Amino acid sequence: MKNRYWEEEIETMQRADLESLQVARLKKTIRIARNSSYYSKVFSQHMITEDIIKEVEDIRKLPFTTKQDMREHCPFGLVAGEMKDAVRIHSSSGTTGNPTVVVHSRHDLDSWANLVARCLYMVGLRNTDVFQNSSGYGMFTGGLGFQYGAERLGALTVPAAAGNSKRQIKFITDFGTTALHAIPSYAIRLAEVFQEEGIDPETSSLHTLIIGAEPHTDEQRRKIEKMLGVKAYNCFGMTEMNGPGVAFECTEQNGMHFWEDCYIIEIIDPDTLEPVPVGETGELVITTLDREIMPLIRYRTRDLTRILPGTCPCGRTHARIDRIKGRSDDMFIIKGVNIFPMQIEKILHQFPGLGTNYLITLLSKENQNEMIVEVELSDLSTNNYVELESIRKEITRQLRDEILVTPRVNLVKKAHCPVVKEKPYG
C-alpha cells in the first residue's frame, strides 16, 4: 500500500536507533523535570542527574510517580517550565479529591496533535475524510485531543460533542461522515438509534470507528463492527499522558502501537515493582519524552496490559501493547482466585441476547465469599422462562470455566442494571 506512514522514518525506525533517541530524550526530560518543585526535591533525595542514564534500562534508577503525587502537588507542583509558556490545562474529574492536572505548552499541544494525526493516518484516514467526534469537549481530553489531531491530518472535522444520538446520525448523513470517534458503549447505543430511525448504518458513508476511553473486549469490538458496518480500531490514552494518541491499533488490529519516540513504556509486577518478561501481563508504567512544560517520569498508570512479542506485518517497529485487561486496583479475589471484570465482560459479550450493561456484586456470608453477576437482557423476552434459564446456565458454565469460580447469574430487564465505567483518557 502506497503512503502507509505519516512519518515513515520515525514509525519504521530500527530498534537501536529508536533506543538512542529515547536515551537522548530521557536525559533532556530529566533536565527539564528538575525545574519543578516536586521533581527538584525527589531528584535531590535520590541524587539523580541525567548522567546516570546510559541506556534505556537505566530508567529503573528513577523513582516512580503516582496519581497521589500529582494530587498532593496539585495544581502546579509538577510544572517544570515557565507558566507564561502554558497555554492549556486538562484535568481529571477530581470527584474523590484533588484532580490530576496537566499543563501544556504550545510545543506540547503540537506534539500531541501530531501523534493523533499519526494514529488516524495509520488506520487509513486521509485529508479527504470527514471526521466526526462524539466526545465531550472541555477538560475531557477526548474532545480537543481528537479535534486538533484530525485537523492536523487535514480531515474535515465535525465537533459534534457528546450525546443527542438523532443529531449525531443527522450529521453523519448530512455531512457524509466517514470516520467517527465514540466510546464503545455509545457506539452500540448509536447503532440502536439507527435501527429505531429505520436507517441501515451500512447505507451511510461511515466506514471507520475509533473506540476507546472505557474498557472493552474484542468481542464487544466485533459486535460494534457488525452493528454499524465499520472497522473499529482500539486506542489508548490518558489525561496524564496527554489523552488519546498514546497508543493505537493499525489496520492489522493485532495490538496497539505505542509511540516510543514520545514515551518509554515499562510493564512491571504491581507488587514487586520489578519488570516482567515480554508477553506477560503487568502494570503499565509510562515516561513522557517530548513534553517540555510538565514531563512525567515513570508514571504508574495502574492499567494492566502486556507487550506483545514479535513484529507487526504493517512494518512499524514501535512496541505493541495488548488491550487493557483491567486495573491493578480493581482486581478482586474470590476463593483465592484473582478475577478482573474484563474476564466477565469477555464471556457476556458472546451472548447476542444480552445487553451491554452488567453489575458484579461481591457478598460475604458466613465467612464465605459469593459473586453475583447481574446482566441486562436485550432482545429476549423475560417471560420465556425455559429459554432464559438455559441461557443463564450456559453463562454460568462459561464464567466458571473462565474464572474458575461459580458465580450466581441473574438476568434482568433492559435498562435495569446500573453500571459504572472508568474512562482511561478522561
Side-chain angles (χ1 to χ4, degrees):
M1 179 180 175
K2 188 178 180 180
N3 298 327
R4 290 188 298 170
Y5 307 106
W6 179 249
E7 297 169 299
E8 183 172 0
E9 182 178 352
I10 292 176
E11 294 173 53
T12 62
M13 188 176 287
Q14 294 300 307
R15 174 55 50 178
D17 295 333
L18 189 54
E19 291 185 355
S20 294
L21 177 63
Q22 288 182 315
V23 167
R25 289 189 168 183
L26 179 57
K27 285 175 172 287
K28 180 179 178 181
T29 295
I30 292 173
R31 290 197 299 272
I32 294 173
R34 69 186 178 198
N35 293 317
S36 72
S37 60
Y38 171 73
Y39 281 119
S40 174
K41 182 177 180 180
V42 170
F43 288 0
S44 177
Q45 290 174 342
H46 295 271
M47 295 184 291
I48 291 171
T49 68
E50 64 269 27
D51 295 333
I52 68 173
I53 304 299
K54 307 297 182 185
E55 54 186 3
V56 175
E57 287 72 20
D58 289 336
I59 196 170
R60 298 173 194 163
K61 299 175 182 179
L62 307 178
F64 294 104
T65 305
T66 67
K67 184 181 289 287
Q68 187 60 31
D69 293 329
M70 296 185 70
R71 285 175 170 169
E72 288 179 356
H73 296 84
C74 178
F76 303 132
L78 276 76
V79 171
E82 297 285 344
M83 284 301 296
K84 66 179 178 61
D85 296 324
V87 295
R88 191 196 300 168
I89 290 175
H90 281 286
S91 78
S92 65
S93 61
T95 54
T96 58
N98 282 338
T100 52
V101 173
V102 177
V103 180
H104 298 276
S105 68
R106 292 191 184 279
H107 166 86
D108 301 335
L109 293 181
D110 185 67
S111 174
W112 179 15
N114 186 67
L115 285 184
V116 176
R118 187 192 294 178
C119 294
L120 297 178
Y121 196 92
M122 180 167 60
V123 298
L125 300 190
R126 299 294 184 265
N127 58 11
T128 53
D129 279 288
V130 180
F131 182 87
Q132 185 166 321
N133 192 6
S134 69
S135 284
Y137 284 68
M139 289 301 195
F140 178 62
T141 59
L144 292 175
F146 273 108
Q147 179 70 32
Y148 279 74
E151 289 180 0
R152 174 64 63 88
L153 178 69
L156 176 61
T157 59
V158 183
N164 199 332
S165 299
K166 291 183 179 181
R167 186 184 65 171
Q168 298 279 353
I169 292 173
K170 181 172 175 55
F171 286 166
I172 291 171
T173 56
D174 285 356
F175 302 145
T177 298
T178 58
L180 173 72
H181 170 242
I183 62 175
S185 57
Y186 185 65
I188 291 177
R189 175 56 187 155
L190 203 60
E192 293 171 345
V193 177
F194 263 111
Q195 187 176 20
E196 292 167 5
E197 294 295 299
I199 303 173
D200 182 355
E202 293 197 36
T203 64
S204 76
S205 52
L206 199 62
H207 58 65
T208 300
L209 182 69
I210 309 300
I211 51 176
E214 66 184 12
H216 63 282
T217 61
D218 198 52
E219 288 77 14
Q220 186 176 6
R221 185 251 291 276
R222 298 305 175 191
K223 178 179 181 180
I224 291 170
E225 288 185 325
K226 184 177 181 180
M227 293 177 74
L228 287 173
V230 298
K231 292 293 287 185
Y233 297 100
N234 192 18
C235 64
F236 169 80
M238 58 195 314
T239 299
E240 295 88 341
M241 292 297 123
N242 288 342
V246 178
F248 224 85
E249 280 185 323
C250 65
T251 53
E252 298 292 332
Q253 293 182 307
N254 63 351
M256 295 177 286
H257 289 277
F258 215 107
W259 299 124
E260 295 183 272
D261 57 315
C262 293
Y263 304 98
I264 292 177
I265 57 172
E266 304 170 76
I267 307 293
I268 66 168
D269 183 311
D271 295 321
T272 66
L273 305 184
E274 293 297 319
V276 302
V278 171
E280 290 191 12
T281 298
E283 180 183 334
L284 177 64
V285 175
I286 312 176
T287 297
T288 63
L289 294 179
D290 193 33
R291 208 154 68 188
E292 66 177 17
I293 200 167
M294 190 177 162
L296 288 178
I297 294 173
R298 302 197 79 192
Y299 182 74
R300 294 190 60 184
T301 69
R302 297 291 183 176
D303 288 321
L304 296 171
T305 186
R306 66 190 180 110
I307 294 177
L308 296 175
T311 59
C312 184
C314 78
R316 292 173 179 83
T317 55
H318 295 241
R320 291 168 297 132
I321 63 167
D322 206 349
R323 65 180 54 250
I324 302 301
K325 180 179 180 180
R327 291 179 56 80
S328 61
D329 49 8
D330 73 3
M331 181 188 77
F332 51 89
I333 302 174
I334 297 289
K335 299 179 181 179
V337 178
N338 296 344
I339 299 173
F340 296 95
M342 291 291 285
Q343 292 176 278
I344 296 179
E345 182 172 311
K346 172 185 174 182
I347 298 300
L348 297 180
H349 277 296
Q350 296 177 9
F351 292 82
L354 301 182
T356 57
N357 290 338
Y358 64 94
L359 178 67
I360 302 171
T361 304
L362 306 180
L363 296 178
S364 181
K365 185 177 181 181
E366 297 178 353
N367 296 320
Q368 293 292 322
N369 293 325
E370 181 182 18
M371 181 170 66
I372 301 171
V373 178
E374 295 178 88
V375 57
E376 69 175 14
L377 296 166
S378 178
D379 301 324
L380 296 177
S381 168
T382 55
N383 297 321
N384 192 335
Y385 176 80
V386 175
E387 186 176 3
L388 290 180
E389 183 61 13
S390 175
I391 292 174
R392 189 192 67 79
K393 288 182 177 179
E394 180 61 19
I395 293 172
T396 303
R397 184 192 68 78
Q398 290 196 29
L399 285 174
R400 182 184 65 240
D401 291 345
E402 171 69 23
I403 63 178
L404 307 179
V405 171
T406 303
R408 175 160 35 115
V409 176
N410 296 330
L411 304 179
V412 301
K413 292 182 179 181
K414 187 174 181 179
H416 282 67
C417 184
V419 63
V420 178
K421 294 185 176 181
E422 183 160 342
K423 297 177 179 179
Y425 57 76

